[in-house]
mmCIF file of all heavy atoms in Angstrom:
data_model
loop_
_atom_site.group_PDB
_atom_site.id
_atom_site.type_symbol
_atom_site.label_atom_id
_atom_site.label_comp_id
_atom_site.label_asym_id
_atom_site.label_seq_id
_atom_site.Cartn_x
_atom_site.Cartn_y
_atom_site.Cartn_z
ATOM 1 N N THR A 192 14.638 -0.554 -3.498
ATOM 2 C CA THR A 192 15.564 -1.434 -2.802
ATOM 3 C C THR A 192 14.847 -2.667 -2.307
ATOM 4 O O THR A 192 13.599 -2.759 -2.427
ATOM 5 C CB THR A 192 16.213 -0.715 -1.615
ATOM 6 O OG1 THR A 192 15.185 -0.390 -0.658
ATOM 7 C CG2 THR A 192 16.899 0.573 -2.047
ATOM 8 N N ARG A 193 15.623 -3.615 -1.754
ATOM 9 C CA ARG A 193 15.000 -4.860 -1.250
ATOM 10 C C ARG A 193 13.946 -4.546 -0.206
ATOM 11 O O ARG A 193 12.829 -5.072 -0.250
ATOM 12 C CB ARG A 193 16.073 -5.751 -0.652
ATOM 13 C CG ARG A 193 15.547 -7.093 -0.121
ATOM 14 C CD ARG A 193 16.670 -7.973 0.394
ATOM 15 N NE ARG A 193 16.179 -9.301 0.654
ATOM 16 C CZ ARG A 193 15.624 -9.668 1.814
ATOM 17 N NH1 ARG A 193 15.509 -8.774 2.806
ATOM 18 N NH2 ARG A 193 15.191 -10.932 1.990
ATOM 19 N N GLU A 194 14.287 -3.684 0.759
ATOM 20 C CA GLU A 194 13.335 -3.356 1.817
ATOM 21 C C GLU A 194 12.060 -2.712 1.244
ATOM 22 O O GLU A 194 10.964 -3.033 1.632
ATOM 23 C CB GLU A 194 13.990 -2.429 2.842
ATOM 24 C CG GLU A 194 13.097 -2.057 4.009
ATOM 25 C CD GLU A 194 13.818 -1.180 5.020
ATOM 26 O OE1 GLU A 194 15.057 -1.094 4.966
ATOM 27 O OE2 GLU A 194 13.129 -0.603 5.899
ATOM 28 N N GLU A 195 12.274 -1.787 0.313
ATOM 29 C CA GLU A 195 11.116 -1.132 -0.297
ATOM 30 C C GLU A 195 10.274 -2.105 -1.097
ATOM 31 O O GLU A 195 9.026 -2.075 -1.055
ATOM 32 C CB GLU A 195 11.610 0.011 -1.210
ATOM 33 C CG GLU A 195 12.195 1.168 -0.437
ATOM 34 C CD GLU A 195 12.987 2.127 -1.304
ATOM 35 O OE1 GLU A 195 13.366 1.721 -2.436
ATOM 36 O OE2 GLU A 195 13.217 3.272 -0.917
ATOM 37 N N ALA A 196 10.914 -3.002 -1.862
ATOM 38 C CA ALA A 196 10.194 -3.960 -2.674
ATOM 39 C C ALA A 196 9.383 -4.938 -1.802
ATOM 40 O O ALA A 196 8.250 -5.284 -2.145
ATOM 41 C CB ALA A 196 11.173 -4.745 -3.564
ATOM 42 N N LEU A 197 9.957 -5.362 -0.687
ATOM 43 C CA LEU A 197 9.232 -6.261 0.208
ATOM 44 C C LEU A 197 8.012 -5.571 0.803
ATOM 45 O O LEU A 197 6.954 -6.182 0.960
ATOM 46 C CB LEU A 197 10.176 -6.764 1.313
ATOM 47 C CG LEU A 197 11.298 -7.718 0.888
ATOM 48 C CD1 LEU A 197 12.195 -8.059 2.034
ATOM 49 C CD2 LEU A 197 10.731 -9.000 0.256
ATOM 50 N N THR A 198 8.165 -4.305 1.136
ATOM 51 C CA THR A 198 7.016 -3.539 1.643
ATOM 52 C C THR A 198 5.936 -3.433 0.599
ATOM 53 O O THR A 198 4.736 -3.614 0.881
ATOM 54 C CB THR A 198 7.472 -2.151 2.124
ATOM 55 O OG1 THR A 198 8.444 -2.280 3.147
ATOM 56 C CG2 THR A 198 6.293 -1.347 2.661
ATOM 57 N N ILE A 199 6.314 -3.117 -0.632
ATOM 58 C CA ILE A 199 5.334 -3.005 -1.719
ATOM 59 C C ILE A 199 4.663 -4.336 -1.979
ATOM 60 O O ILE A 199 3.439 -4.384 -2.138
ATOM 61 C CB ILE A 199 6.032 -2.503 -2.995
ATOM 62 C CG1 ILE A 199 6.559 -1.068 -2.782
ATOM 63 C CG2 ILE A 199 5.095 -2.536 -4.189
ATOM 64 C CD1 ILE A 199 7.472 -0.581 -3.872
ATOM 65 N N ASP A 200 5.424 -5.427 -1.976
ATOM 66 C CA ASP A 200 4.841 -6.772 -2.173
ATOM 67 C C ASP A 200 3.811 -7.077 -1.114
ATOM 68 O O ASP A 200 2.754 -7.690 -1.375
ATOM 69 C CB ASP A 200 5.928 -7.846 -2.167
ATOM 70 C CG ASP A 200 6.775 -7.832 -3.433
ATOM 71 O OD1 ASP A 200 6.382 -7.142 -4.415
ATOM 72 O OD2 ASP A 200 7.832 -8.505 -3.449
ATOM 73 N N PHE A 201 4.084 -6.667 0.134
ATOM 74 C CA PHE A 201 3.163 -6.911 1.218
ATOM 75 C C PHE A 201 1.894 -6.086 1.050
ATOM 76 O O PHE A 201 0.770 -6.563 1.392
ATOM 77 C CB PHE A 201 3.857 -6.566 2.566
ATOM 78 C CG PHE A 201 2.961 -6.624 3.747
ATOM 79 C CD1 PHE A 201 2.601 -7.829 4.313
ATOM 80 C CD2 PHE A 201 2.466 -5.431 4.330
ATOM 81 C CE1 PHE A 201 1.772 -7.891 5.412
ATOM 82 C CE2 PHE A 201 1.614 -5.498 5.429
ATOM 83 C CZ PHE A 201 1.291 -6.706 5.989
ATOM 84 N N LEU A 202 2.007 -4.869 0.549
ATOM 85 C CA LEU A 202 0.869 -3.965 0.446
ATOM 86 C C LEU A 202 0.040 -4.178 -0.788
ATOM 87 O O LEU A 202 -1.147 -3.801 -0.831
ATOM 88 C CB LEU A 202 1.360 -2.516 0.492
ATOM 89 C CG LEU A 202 1.944 -2.029 1.819
ATOM 90 C CD1 LEU A 202 2.554 -0.652 1.649
ATOM 91 C CD2 LEU A 202 0.876 -2.014 2.927
ATOM 92 N N LEU A 203 0.618 -4.748 -1.876
ATOM 93 C CA LEU A 203 -0.119 -4.895 -3.141
ATOM 94 C C LEU A 203 -1.490 -5.565 -2.988
ATOM 95 O O LEU A 203 -2.503 -5.045 -3.539
ATOM 96 C CB LEU A 203 0.740 -5.654 -4.157
ATOM 97 C CG LEU A 203 1.800 -4.845 -4.911
ATOM 98 C CD1 LEU A 203 2.642 -5.751 -5.804
ATOM 99 C CD2 LEU A 203 1.166 -3.722 -5.741
ATOM 100 N N PRO A 204 -1.592 -6.743 -2.307
ATOM 101 C CA PRO A 204 -2.925 -7.353 -2.208
ATOM 102 C C PRO A 204 -3.951 -6.441 -1.478
ATOM 103 O O PRO A 204 -5.100 -6.365 -1.908
ATOM 104 C CB PRO A 204 -2.637 -8.623 -1.396
ATOM 105 C CG PRO A 204 -1.181 -8.906 -1.596
ATOM 106 C CD PRO A 204 -0.528 -7.548 -1.708
ATOM 107 N N LYS A 205 -3.506 -5.787 -0.419
ATOM 108 C CA LYS A 205 -4.400 -4.903 0.339
ATOM 109 C C LYS A 205 -4.866 -3.739 -0.548
ATOM 110 O O LYS A 205 -6.049 -3.384 -0.572
ATOM 111 C CB LYS A 205 -3.702 -4.380 1.584
ATOM 112 C CG LYS A 205 -4.551 -3.406 2.388
ATOM 113 C CD LYS A 205 -3.778 -2.897 3.584
ATOM 114 C CE LYS A 205 -4.581 -1.857 4.345
ATOM 115 N NZ LYS A 205 -3.827 -1.337 5.517
ATOM 116 N N TRP A 206 -3.922 -3.093 -1.265
ATOM 117 C CA TRP A 206 -4.265 -2.003 -2.118
ATOM 118 C C TRP A 206 -5.289 -2.415 -3.159
ATOM 119 O O TRP A 206 -6.255 -1.738 -3.419
ATOM 120 C CB TRP A 206 -3.008 -1.466 -2.807
ATOM 121 C CG TRP A 206 -2.079 -0.716 -1.910
ATOM 122 C CD1 TRP A 206 -2.334 -0.256 -0.654
ATOM 123 C CD2 TRP A 206 -0.731 -0.319 -2.211
ATOM 124 N NE1 TRP A 206 -1.216 0.390 -0.174
ATOM 125 C CE2 TRP A 206 -0.226 0.384 -1.093
ATOM 126 C CE3 TRP A 206 0.112 -0.495 -3.330
ATOM 127 C CZ2 TRP A 206 1.042 0.914 -1.070
ATOM 128 C CZ3 TRP A 206 1.401 0.049 -3.299
ATOM 129 C CH2 TRP A 206 1.862 0.729 -2.153
ATOM 130 N N GLN A 207 -5.068 -3.565 -3.773
ATOM 131 C CA GLN A 207 -5.931 -3.989 -4.850
ATOM 132 C C GLN A 207 -7.323 -4.411 -4.357
ATOM 133 O O GLN A 207 -8.322 -4.210 -5.016
ATOM 134 C CB GLN A 207 -5.274 -5.124 -5.647
ATOM 135 C CG GLN A 207 -4.041 -4.611 -6.404
ATOM 136 C CD GLN A 207 -3.288 -5.671 -7.154
ATOM 137 O OE1 GLN A 207 -3.445 -5.809 -8.390
ATOM 138 N NE2 GLN A 207 -2.496 -6.481 -6.480
ATOM 139 N N ARG A 208 -7.395 -5.014 -3.166
ATOM 140 C CA ARG A 208 -8.708 -5.340 -2.576
ATOM 141 C C ARG A 208 -9.466 -4.051 -2.307
ATOM 142 O O ARG A 208 -10.715 -4.006 -2.517
ATOM 143 C CB ARG A 208 -8.532 -6.151 -1.286
ATOM 144 C CG ARG A 208 -8.140 -7.603 -1.490
ATOM 145 C CD ARG A 208 -8.354 -8.411 -0.232
ATOM 146 N NE ARG A 208 -7.579 -7.892 0.885
ATOM 147 C CZ ARG A 208 -6.355 -8.278 1.204
ATOM 148 N NH1 ARG A 208 -5.736 -9.202 0.442
ATOM 149 N NH2 ARG A 208 -5.698 -7.780 2.243
ATOM 150 N N THR A 209 -8.796 -3.043 -1.814
ATOM 151 C CA THR A 209 -9.469 -1.775 -1.523
ATOM 152 C C THR A 209 -10.033 -1.176 -2.803
ATOM 153 O O THR A 209 -11.184 -0.697 -2.849
ATOM 154 C CB THR A 209 -8.482 -0.781 -0.852
ATOM 155 O OG1 THR A 209 -7.997 -1.352 0.343
ATOM 156 C CG2 THR A 209 -9.141 0.548 -0.595
ATOM 157 N N LEU A 210 -9.259 -1.160 -3.887
ATOM 158 C CA LEU A 210 -9.722 -0.647 -5.150
ATOM 159 C C LEU A 210 -10.877 -1.486 -5.710
ATOM 160 O O LEU A 210 -11.831 -0.948 -6.298
ATOM 161 C CB LEU A 210 -8.574 -0.570 -6.143
ATOM 162 C CG LEU A 210 -7.501 0.477 -5.851
ATOM 163 C CD1 LEU A 210 -6.329 0.318 -6.824
ATOM 164 C CD2 LEU A 210 -8.056 1.879 -5.889
ATOM 165 N N ASP A 211 -10.813 -2.816 -5.520
ATOM 166 C CA ASP A 211 -11.885 -3.675 -5.979
ATOM 167 C C ASP A 211 -13.177 -3.373 -5.292
ATOM 168 O O ASP A 211 -14.285 -3.554 -5.843
ATOM 169 C CB ASP A 211 -11.522 -5.149 -5.749
ATOM 170 C CG ASP A 211 -10.418 -5.662 -6.682
ATOM 171 O OD1 ASP A 211 -10.205 -5.021 -7.742
ATOM 172 O OD2 ASP A 211 -9.804 -6.687 -6.395
ATOM 173 N N ASP A 212 -13.088 -2.906 -4.013
ATOM 174 C CA ASP A 212 -14.288 -2.559 -3.248
ATOM 175 C C ASP A 212 -14.792 -1.156 -3.568
ATOM 176 O O ASP A 212 -15.771 -0.708 -2.974
ATOM 177 C CB ASP A 212 -13.974 -2.623 -1.741
ATOM 178 C CG ASP A 212 -13.744 -4.055 -1.273
ATOM 179 O OD1 ASP A 212 -14.217 -4.988 -1.946
ATOM 180 O OD2 ASP A 212 -13.115 -4.256 -0.191
ATOM 181 N N GLY A 213 -14.141 -0.466 -4.514
ATOM 182 C CA GLY A 213 -14.585 0.830 -4.923
ATOM 183 C C GLY A 213 -14.175 1.936 -3.945
ATOM 184 O O GLY A 213 -14.767 3.016 -3.964
ATOM 185 N N LEU A 214 -13.227 1.672 -3.080
ATOM 186 C CA LEU A 214 -12.761 2.648 -2.082
ATOM 187 C C LEU A 214 -11.405 3.215 -2.474
ATOM 188 O O LEU A 214 -10.636 2.557 -3.164
ATOM 189 C CB LEU A 214 -12.686 1.971 -0.700
ATOM 190 C CG LEU A 214 -14.029 1.454 -0.171
ATOM 191 C CD1 LEU A 214 -13.833 0.702 1.137
ATOM 192 C CD2 LEU A 214 -15.028 2.569 -0.003
ATOM 193 N N PRO A 215 -11.093 4.387 -1.981
ATOM 194 C CA PRO A 215 -9.807 4.980 -2.337
ATOM 195 C C PRO A 215 -8.661 4.397 -1.509
ATOM 196 O O PRO A 215 -8.861 3.935 -0.392
ATOM 197 C CB PRO A 215 -9.989 6.461 -1.988
ATOM 198 C CG PRO A 215 -10.998 6.457 -0.897
ATOM 199 C CD PRO A 215 -11.934 5.295 -1.172
ATOM 200 N N LEU A 216 -7.469 4.427 -2.092
ATOM 201 C CA LEU A 216 -6.264 4.060 -1.356
ATOM 202 C C LEU A 216 -5.843 5.274 -0.541
ATOM 203 O O LEU A 216 -5.759 6.355 -1.062
ATOM 204 C CB LEU A 216 -5.125 3.661 -2.293
ATOM 205 C CG LEU A 216 -5.271 2.354 -3.097
ATOM 206 C CD1 LEU A 216 -3.941 2.024 -3.743
ATOM 207 C CD2 LEU A 216 -5.695 1.216 -2.188
ATOM 208 N N VAL A 217 -5.554 5.035 0.733
ATOM 209 C CA VAL A 217 -5.197 6.106 1.614
ATOM 210 C C VAL A 217 -3.683 6.183 1.745
ATOM 211 O O VAL A 217 -3.003 5.163 1.998
ATOM 212 C CB VAL A 217 -5.823 5.929 3.018
ATOM 213 C CG1 VAL A 217 -5.320 6.979 3.995
ATOM 214 C CG2 VAL A 217 -7.332 5.986 2.916
ATOM 215 N N ARG A 218 -3.161 7.389 1.557
ATOM 216 C CA ARG A 218 -1.734 7.628 1.776
ATOM 217 C C ARG A 218 -1.572 8.595 2.936
ATOM 218 O O ARG A 218 -2.174 9.667 2.977
ATOM 219 C CB ARG A 218 -1.090 8.264 0.516
ATOM 220 C CG ARG A 218 0.377 8.640 0.686
ATOM 221 C CD ARG A 218 0.921 9.272 -0.571
ATOM 222 N NE ARG A 218 0.504 10.626 -0.706
ATOM 223 C CZ ARG A 218 1.189 11.715 -0.283
ATOM 224 N NH1 ARG A 218 2.302 11.545 0.349
ATOM 225 N NH2 ARG A 218 0.739 12.946 -0.491
ATOM 226 N N PHE A 219 -0.786 8.193 3.934
ATOM 227 C CA PHE A 219 -0.586 9.062 5.080
ATOM 228 C C PHE A 219 0.667 9.895 4.908
ATOM 229 O O PHE A 219 1.679 9.463 4.388
ATOM 230 C CB PHE A 219 -0.425 8.217 6.363
ATOM 231 C CG PHE A 219 -1.683 7.465 6.773
ATOM 232 C CD1 PHE A 219 -1.827 6.128 6.507
ATOM 233 C CD2 PHE A 219 -2.723 8.133 7.383
ATOM 234 C CE1 PHE A 219 -2.989 5.459 6.870
ATOM 235 C CE2 PHE A 219 -3.892 7.507 7.725
ATOM 236 C CZ PHE A 219 -4.017 6.156 7.492
ATOM 237 N N ALA A 220 0.582 11.141 5.361
ATOM 238 C CA ALA A 220 1.715 12.061 5.317
ATOM 239 C C ALA A 220 1.701 12.879 6.589
ATOM 240 O O ALA A 220 0.641 13.182 7.175
ATOM 241 C CB ALA A 220 1.670 12.956 4.112
ATOM 242 N N ALA A 221 2.889 13.231 7.110
ATOM 243 C CA ALA A 221 2.985 14.101 8.267
ATOM 244 C C ALA A 221 3.031 15.536 7.833
ATOM 245 O O ALA A 221 3.680 15.882 6.849
ATOM 246 C CB ALA A 221 4.253 13.749 9.038
ATOM 247 N N ALA A 222 2.311 16.394 8.556
ATOM 248 C CA ALA A 222 2.239 17.801 8.206
ATOM 249 C C ALA A 222 3.623 18.477 8.317
ATOM 250 O O ALA A 222 3.911 19.416 7.570
ATOM 251 C CB ALA A 222 1.238 18.542 9.059
ATOM 252 N N ASP A 223 4.429 18.022 9.245
ATOM 253 C CA ASP A 223 5.744 18.584 9.446
ATOM 254 C C ASP A 223 6.657 17.525 10.077
ATOM 255 O O ASP A 223 6.193 16.516 10.562
ATOM 256 C CB ASP A 223 5.643 19.815 10.383
ATOM 257 C CG ASP A 223 6.780 20.793 10.166
ATOM 258 O OD1 ASP A 223 7.749 20.454 9.479
ATOM 259 O OD2 ASP A 223 6.708 21.916 10.696
#
C-alpha cells in the first residue's frame, strides 16, 4: 500500500548502506 511503500522507500538507503558495510540487516519481532 501507499503507507507501506513510503516506509520501504525510506528504509531502502539505510538497508543498502548496512549491507555495503558487510553487516546484517536487523529485523525486529515481538515474542508475543
Side-chain angles (χ1 to χ4, degrees):
T192 64
R193 181 178 190 273
E194 182 178 346
E195 291 166 340
L197 291 176
T198 300
I199 295 169
D200 287 348
F201 174 77
L202 292 171
L203 278 176
K205 177 183 177 181
W206 288 347
Q207 294 179 100
R208 284 196 302 269
T209 300
L210 292 173
D211 288 341
D212 291 338
L214 298 175
L216 292 190
V217 175
R218 177 181 76 93
F219 292 103
D223 205 348

